[in-house]
Amino acid sequence: MQFSFKTLSTFSIIILLVFSANNSFAQFSEMKAIFAKMKEREKELRAMEGNYFVPAKSQPDSYEYTFQVVLKDSSKTEVYSRIYMDTAAGKTYLLVIDNKFSKSDPSHRERKIYADQTISITRIASSGYLNHPVEVKGMATDSCWMFKAIKGSVTAYSYLSEYDDRANDHFDSEAIIAIQLNEGPIVQYSEKNLTQMVGQDARALEIIQNKNYYRAIKRFNKDTPTIEKK
């Protein structure tokens, strides 16, 4: 069965990332409890007069792009797809469509490429008002691809490939899953971790207290010089 983020809006996605600190992001420790509260949220939705629809802003949209995919065996393939979520497996995937087969034969027509079957995926986007081409790269983890969504002293990582750019109106901060202070370890996107990162930045701390973590990252990055990352 094919899923999209819109059709999966009945589920609450909680992605917990536990990473081992290393200088290449090559090793990630096993991720657990990615959807720890999914059943609880599903029960809440079932109580809503049988209507499982949740407003679109409750989950970010995923858009279709042409991705260059590097598989675990180092082979490469090109896939035009959105990033889907397999809620049963707790993993994201790309969907490969073979038009030689009819829609009535999905077992042959459709093939899923999961994040943990790959090394990375990449797409080319345009940035800024002059539409400069930029490479958007997602590094594979056990459950999803991680894309740099916000760059600065605090880098934010998203499980979708849209990034924070004035010319990019598709970016949704709700897709952020991890953060990193300068060259430090990548950790779960949480109030506790973000508070530790912004330290004594009073303006950023105030915004965190108001539960707007995205704005707090932007405020801190504006206040704090960036240490160039590799």
Side-chain angles (χ1 to χ4, degrees):
M1 180 178 181
Q2 179 175 326
F3 292 87
S4 69
F5 283 100
K6 289 183 178 178
T7 57
L8 289 173
S9 55
T10 56
F11 300 100
S12 174
I13 301 177
I14 296 178
I15 303 180
L16 301 178
L17 302 175
V18 182
F19 302 101
S20 56
N22 59 78
N23 55 8
S24 67
F25 309 132
Q27 299 295 323
F28 294 90
S29 46
E30 184 179 6
M31 300 176 191
K32 297 180 180 180
I34 297 172
F35 296 100
K37 293 184 179 180
M38 186 179 69
K39 291 184 179 180
E40 178 182 345
R41 177 59 175 158
E42 186 176 1
K43 288 180 181 178
E44 293 174 1
L45 293 169
R46 289 183 182 276
M48 296 171 57
E49 299 179 358
N51 182 4
Y52 303 161
F53 177 76
V54 178
K57 287 302 293 180
S58 66
Q59 289 186 11
D61 287 323
S62 175
Y63 297 87
E64 291 181 314
Y65 301 104
T66 298
F67 290 99
Q68 303 297 326
V69 181
V70 181
L71 298 168
K72 280 287 184 67
D73 62 3
S74 296
S75 63
K76 298 178 181 180
T77 187
E78 185 174 279
V79 179
Y80 181 72
S81 174
R82 68 182 75 244
I83 295 177
Y84 295 90
M85 177 65 70
D86 183 332
T87 55
K91 299 178 182 181
T92 58
Y93 65 91
L94 301 177
L95 187 63
V96 181
I97 302 295
D98 189 340
N99 290 315
K100 292 185 299 183
F101 298 94
S102 69
K103 293 182 180 179
S104 62
D105 187 9
S107 62
H108 291 95
R109 178 181 171 85
E110 300 177 357
R111 178 169 67 94
K112 297 177 181 179
I113 299 179
Y114 287 92
D116 61 358
Q117 296 173 334
T118 72
I119 296 173
S120 66
I121 62 174
T122 306
R123 71 177 178 89
I124 301 299
S126 58
S127 178
Y129 294 110
L130 297 178
N131 293 322
H132 294 298
V134 294
E135 184 182 70
V136 180
K137 187 173 185 178
M139 304 300 295
T141 73
D142 290 343
S143 63
C144 66
W145 293 282
M146 288 204 317
F147 300 86
K148 286 186 179 181
I150 302 173
K151 297 180 180 180
S153 294
V154 169
T155 296
Y157 294 85
S158 169
Y159 65 88
L160 297 181
S161 68
E162 288 75 31
Y163 56 94
D164 193 25
D165 182 83
R166 289 182 179 180
N168 184 353
D169 59 359
H170 292 331
F171 172 69
D172 193 328
S173 61
E174 294 297 318
I176 296 173
I177 52 173
I179 49 179
Q180 177 188 26
L181 178 63
N182 295 317
E183 294 291 346
I186 301 173
V187 298
Q188 180 192 351
Y189 181 47
S190 69
E191 179 176 347
K192 178 181 177 181
N193 289 334
L194 184 57
T195 299
Q196 292 175 346
M197 287 184 180
V198 304
Q200 301 303 312
D201 188 321
R203 289 184 290 187
L205 287 171
E206 182 180 357
I207 298 171
I208 291 174
Q209 291 174 358
N210 291 328
K211 307 299 182 182
N212 195 327
Y213 308 139
Y214 164 72
R215 281 191 57 233
I217 293 173
K218 300 287 286 184
R219 179 74 263 175
F220 180 74
N221 284 348
K222 187 175 182 179
D223 293 343
T224 308
T226 303
I227 297 175
E228 187 176 351
K229 298 179 181 180
K230 298 178 181 179

